[in-house]
Amino acid sequence: VMLKQEQLDDDHKHKFCAAQFDSAEDKKKGLERTISDTDAAIEDAKEGVATLTSEIKALGGGIVALDKSVVEGTDQRKVENTEYKELMSSNVAAKELLGFAKNRLNKFYNPSLYKAAPKQELSAEDRIVVNNGGTPPPTEAPGG
């Protein structure tokens, strides 16, 4: 009777141990899957980092090229601005010259439109220069 009881206890322990082994194997397989999934995620992350690194390098090159084109554009605009200012100043001078010439022509061909040059009042210093044989300071040209 005792042996039978021990056999039953052993059978019961065997079933319990088998269930524990099954449970441990399932846990082991689950952990192995988690490890392999984590390894795959790590590899994906490494590939993403490598891709982003190459994209950052490419964007850095693009930024350098853009900076260079901005500098070239700035230089070109400075040159164009200088040319524009020279053109405007020469246009102003040409307009003044044309006004002076027009006034001179009016003196002979249309005296009613002629504007006489304003009398120049000399300062004390300028009068001394003129009295000693110097030239008077320049005046604005009469024009229209």
Side-chain angles (χ1 to χ4, degrees), residues 24-74:
E25 277 184 34
D26 289 344
K27 254 187 194 179
K28 180 183 172 188
K29 287 180 183 176
L31 291 174
E32 286 174 351
R33 259 182 295 170
T34 303
I35 289 172
S36 67
D37 289 347
T38 305
D39 288 343
I42 289 172
E43 287 300 317
D44 288 344
K46 285 181 180 178
E47 289 174 13
V49 167
T51 302
L52 290 174
T53 302
S54 65
E55 288 177 2
I56 288 171
K57 286 181 183 177
L59 289 173
I63 289 171
V64 168
L66 183 62
D67 286 345
K68 182 179 177 185
S69 70
V70 165
V71 168
E72 290 172 357
T74 301

Side-chain angles (χ1 to χ4, degrees), residues 103 105-116:
N103 194 41
L105 289 172
N106 282 336
K107 182 177 182 179
F108 295 105
Y109 295 108
N110 198 353
S112 63
L113 295 178
Y114 174 70
K115 297 176 186 170

Side-chain angles (χ1 to χ4, degrees), residues 88-106:
M88 287 289 108
S89 66
S90 66
N91 282 351
V92 168
K95 285 180 183 179
E96 289 176 0
L97 183 62
L98 286 173
F100 182 72
K102 182 179 171 185
N103 194 41
R104 279 289 187 107
L105 289 172
N106 282 336

Side-chain angles (χ1 to χ4, degrees), residues 72-90:
E72 290 172 357
T74 301
D75 292 342
Q76 180 181 356
R77 281 189 294 283
K78 285 180 181 178
V79 167
E80 289 172 356
N81 185 33
T82 303
E83 291 172 355
Y84 174 77
K85 286 180 179 178
E86 289 173 1
L87 177 68
M88 287 289 108
S89 66
S90 66

